[in-house]
């Protein structure tokens, strides 16, 4: 029995151990960073609150990066938030586009007056977590092409089996986002 227990009159059988931490969130995975976002969270960007509907986790040779489908429930507008840590945190905001030139995917292409050149082409394994099971994106293996244009413009092409998706976007700063984890009061 410690001094404070004796002073306060706490009988030994009523003493309890301090609560143990039982969170399933890794201590290195902060839920309020772009690397801790989960399906169901809300991400505020550019004065709009978006619900996270899907999360794609890419893995290539032990390196991971993430794409999150964000939906504005008021307007139905969708965009993608991309996050990776490759010699520094890189965060981008993208919107899906239609490209007439795919397939095949060229090494250089033009979209809305900007000339993009391919900076990377490879394959990755993808794990998909989704709120909306009607979206026809399957997890598995994906081929990707990353393009860059002057003015920090980016374009991405993904090949899922025989279907292609393209998106265009730009880099943003992590501090431009506010993340509200689901179920946290």
């Amino acid at each position: 029995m410690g001094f404070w227990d004796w002073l306060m009159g706490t009988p030994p059988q009523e003493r309890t151990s301090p609560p143990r931490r039982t969170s399933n969130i890794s201590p290195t995975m902060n839920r309020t960073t772009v690397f801790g976002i989960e399906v169901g969270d809300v991400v505020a960007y550019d004065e709009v609150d978006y619900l996270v509907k899907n999360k794609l986790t890419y893995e290539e040779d032990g390196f991971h990066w993430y794409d999150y489908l964000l939906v504005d429930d008021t307007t139905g507008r969708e965009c993608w938030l991309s996050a990776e840590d490759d010699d520094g945190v890189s965060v981008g905001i993208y919107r899906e586009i239609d490209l007439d030139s795919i397939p095949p995917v060229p090494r250089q292409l033009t979209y809305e007056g900007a000339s993009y050149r391919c900076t990377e082409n490879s394959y990755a394994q993808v794990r998909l977590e989704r709120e909306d099971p009607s979206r026809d994106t399957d997890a598995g293996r994906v081929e990707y092409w990353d393009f860059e244009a002057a003015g920090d413009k980016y374009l991405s092409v993904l090949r899922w089996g025989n279907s292609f998706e393209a998106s265009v976007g730009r880099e943003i700063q992590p501090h431009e986002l506010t993340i509200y984890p689901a179920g946290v009061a």
Side-chain angles (χ1 to χ4, degrees):
M1 177 182 292
F3 173 75
W4 289 109
D5 291 330
W6 174 81
L7 181 64
M8 302 307 277
T10 307
Q13 68 269 20
E14 289 182 19
R15 279 184 264 146
T16 60
S17 301
R20 290 184 343 157
R21 195 170 170 188
T22 58
S23 173
N24 62 351
I25 299 171
S26 164
T28 61
M29 186 65 73
N30 185 340
R31 286 289 307 277
T32 59
T33 73
V34 292
F35 301 108
I37 296 173
E38 298 293 337
V39 171
D41 290 351
V42 172
V43 175
Y45 169 70
D46 200 23
E47 299 182 12
V48 177
D49 290 341
Y50 294 94
L51 183 62
V52 178
K53 295 285 189 169
N54 294 352
K55 176 182 179 179
L56 297 166
T57 303
Y58 299 88
E59 189 273 327
E60 180 183 14
D61 298 327
F63 176 72
H64 294 84
W65 67 99
Y66 307 91
D67 283 343
Y68 307 97
L69 176 62
L70 306 180
V71 178
D72 176 355
D73 276 345
T74 304
T75 65
R77 191 175 97 202
E78 294 183 352
C79 61
W80 287 91
L81 176 66
S82 177
E84 68 178 77
D85 188 353
D86 185 16
D87 296 328
V89 174
S90 177
V91 179
I93 198 84
Y94 291 82
R95 62 182 168 83
E96 288 187 27
I97 60 172
D98 289 324
L99 284 180
D100 297 331
S101 63
I102 55 176
V105 178
R107 302 300 299 162
Q108 194 162 339
L109 54 87
T110 301
Y111 181 76
E112 292 184 343
S115 179
Y116 292 85
R117 72 175 176 80
C118 186
T119 58
E120 188 172 2
N121 171 227
S122 192
Y123 294 86
Q125 287 299 119
V126 183
R127 187 178 78 241
L128 171 63
E129 299 167 52
R130 67 171 112 195
E131 181 181 275
D132 179 6
S134 68
R135 198 161 170 94
D136 66 350
T137 303
D138 293 324
R141 188 171 161 95
V142 64
E143 184 175 12
Y144 66 90
W145 294 261
D146 290 334
F147 293 82
E148 292 182 19
D152 293 325
K153 295 179 183 177
Y154 299 97
L155 191 142
S156 178
V157 176
L158 300 173
R159 182 176 60 87
W160 303 86
N162 291 326
S163 65
F164 288 81
E165 293 179 0
S167 58
V168 65
R170 63 182 181 84
E171 190 167 354
I172 63 171
Q173 298 302 311
H175 72 268
E176 294 179 66
L177 305 169
T178 304
I179 300 160
Y180 302 100
V184 176

